[in-house]
């Protein structure tokens, strides 16, 4: 029988070669990549807030029923994320995106950590599910960057639109809502053109995001998965690496010699 550490070493080596030789790479990330930055995942052990499941709060019905409660949860998440910083996996992905023209990031995360890691340079990560640090008017649809703490003590203190006074909502895509068609089209185009789709830290159960790896596969590209657990995608992946994002991603995307000199010099 193969020793697990030898098998892992071989898988990482094979994945490194695929990554190195690919002209077009799309990285698809989920909550797992931010877990080691301290952002809880939805389906992990610490995925509950008070007694609520995310699926019961991140919906248009929940907001219609009790906007104060939903804003209180988003306010808590916004404060939590404000105290987190990008980790080594976000940073390795951001430098690859800066250095390689065909390398793009598509994320389901709303924490903004990919954008923070990439800074001003390089292409912006596509945020399929919106952002915690953006707010949108439910009446006139205006949206704005918003890192303010949320005061959800009463309906009267909830965020409002400066233009029309309408009730505002987090600018995220909730369960049961459609993704922005332009963002989804761009992500699908990137996935179908990719030689490699690297899927990191997603339970691969939320569609259409989870389908993007299959778009790559059906177009003849390879799929590499990095996750601490098995997912519905694992069986179909060309290489499935069992490990944490922070441990594995910097190994798959080593810094180029010039960058390494800059960092250590
Ligand atoms: P999920 O919570 O359903 O799944 C997380 C996945 O990450 C699991 O498969 C788990 O095994 C894996 N994982 C956990 N820790 C890991 C680590 N250290 N390294 C590698 N893998 C790890 O998250 P999802 O698939 O992204 O889907 C849930 C939805 O929730 C998404 O739509 C997303 O928008 C939203 N969400 C976002 C955040 C965020 O922005 N950080 C956090 C929670 C949920
Ligand atoms: Zn408005």
């Amino acid at each position: 029988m193969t020793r697990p550490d030898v098998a892992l070493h071989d898988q990482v080596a094979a994945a490194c070669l695929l990554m190195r030789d690919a002209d077009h790479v799309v990285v698809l990330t989920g909550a797992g990549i931010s877990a080691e930055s301290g952002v809880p995942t939805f389906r992990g052990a610490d995925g509950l807030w008070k007694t609520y499941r995310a699926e019961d709060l991140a919906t248009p019905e929940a907001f219609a029923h009790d906007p104060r409660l939903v804003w209180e949860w988003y306010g808590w998440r916004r404060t939590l994320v404000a105290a987190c910083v990008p980790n080594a996996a976000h940073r390795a992905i951001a430098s690859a995106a800066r250095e390689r023209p065909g390398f793009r990031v598509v994320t389901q995360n709303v924490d903004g950590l990919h954008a923070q890691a990439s800074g001003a340079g390089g292409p912006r990560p596509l945020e399929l599910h919106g952002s915690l640090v953006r707010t949108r008017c439910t009446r006139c649809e205006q949206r704005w960057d918003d890192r303010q703490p949320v005061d959800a003590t009463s309906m009267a203190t909830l965020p409002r639109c400066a233009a029309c006074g309408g009730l505002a909502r987090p600018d995220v895509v909730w369960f049961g809502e459609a993704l922005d068609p332009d963002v989804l089209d761009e992500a699908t185009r990137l996935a179908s053109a990719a030689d490699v789709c690297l899927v990191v830290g997603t339970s691969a159960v939320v569609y259409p995001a989870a389908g993007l790896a299959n778009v790559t596969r059906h177009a003849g590209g390879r799929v590499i998965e990095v996750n601490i657990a098995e997912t519905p995608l694992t069986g179909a992946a060309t290489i499935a690496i069992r490990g944490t994002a922070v441990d594995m991603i910097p190994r798959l995307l080593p810094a180029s010699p010039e960058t390494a000199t800059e960092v250590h010099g």
Side-chain angles (χ1 to χ4, degrees), residues 65-79:
H65 175 70
D66 194 348
R68 202 205 55 74
L69 178 71
V70 173
W71 261 122
E72 187 183 353
W73 181 52
Y74 277 94
W76 172 76
R77 293 177 68 197
R78 194 181 275 178
T79 308

Side-chain angles (χ1 to χ4, degrees), residues 209-262:
L212 290 172
N214 285 328
V215 170
T216 300
R217 207 161 58 86
H218 293 141
R222 315 291 180 87
V223 173
I224 302 174
E225 178 182 63
V226 174
N227 200 303
I228 54 169
E230 193 164 310
T231 79
L233 204 69
T234 304
T238 315
I239 303 175
I241 296 174
R242 205 54 69 244
T244 75
V246 162
D247 204 7
M248 295 301 160
I249 298 302
R251 294 203 225 174
L252 300 188
L253 296 169
S256 67
E258 304 88 74
T259 317
T261 315
E262 265 171 44

Side-chain angles (χ1 to χ4, degrees), residues 5-252:
D5 52 339
V6 174
L8 178 66
H9 179 273
D10 290 350
Q11 282 176 317
V12 170
C16 278
L17 286 181
L18 283 183
M19 292 301 291
R20 193 198 62 189
D21 294 340
D23 289 327
H24 294 97
V25 174
V26 65
V27 185
L28 174 67
T29 66
I33 195 169
S34 297
E36 289 161 281
S37 288
V39 185
T41 60
F42 275 179
R43 293 175 183 79
D46 50 0
L48 287 183
W49 173 73
K50 298 188 175 177
T51 54
Y52 299 96
R53 291 159 61 233
E55 289 88 336
D56 297 333
L57 292 172
T59 68
E61 293 77 20
F63 189 73
H65 175 70
D66 194 348
R68 202 205 55 74
L69 178 71
V70 173
W71 261 122
E72 187 183 353
W73 181 52
Y74 277 94
W76 172 76
R77 293 177 68 197
R78 194 181 275 178
T79 308
L80 194 142
V81 160
C84 295
V85 291
N87 62 46
H90 296 108
R91 290 199 303 272
I93 289 170
S95 8
R98 266 194 303 273
E99 287 163 17
R100 298 170 58 164
F103 193 107
R104 292 293 303 274
V105 181
V106 177
T107 188
Q108 300 173 83
N109 294 345
V110 293
D111 55 34
L113 291 178
H114 281 295
Q116 207 177 313
S118 57
R124 281 195 66 77
L126 283 185
E127 295 176 325
L128 289 175
H129 295 164
S131 173
L132 276 181
V133 290
R134 255 191 345 256
T135 297
R136 167 169 114 223
C137 178
T138 56
R139 195 187 288 159
C140 74
E141 297 293 311
Q142 184 151 312
R143 32 166 68 91
W144 58 94
D145 288 341
D146 186 2
R147 293 177 189 274
Q148 296 301 314
V150 177
D151 180 354
T153 42
S154 74
M155 280 298 290
T157 60
L158 294 185
R160 298 239 153 218
C161 172
C164 80
L167 179 64
R169 58 165 280 181
D171 192 19
V172 298
V173 180
W174 283 327
F175 291 108
E177 291 186 319
L179 274 63
D180 178 330
D182 292 341
V183 176
L184 183 58
D185 281 357
E186 173 74 348
T188 308
R189 195 186 61 72
L190 291 170
S192 61
D195 302 304
V196 174
C197 176
L198 172 63
V199 187
V200 189
T202 170
S203 56
V205 293
V206 177
Y207 275 79
L212 290 172
N214 285 328
V215 170
T216 300
R217 207 161 58 86
H218 293 141
R222 315 291 180 87
V223 173
I224 302 174
E225 178 182 63
V226 174
N227 200 303
I228 54 169
E230 193 164 310
T231 79
L233 204 69
T234 304
T238 315
I239 303 175
I241 296 174
R242 205 54 69 244
T244 75
V246 162
D247 204 7
M248 295 301 160
I249 298 302
R251 294 203 225 174
L252 300 188

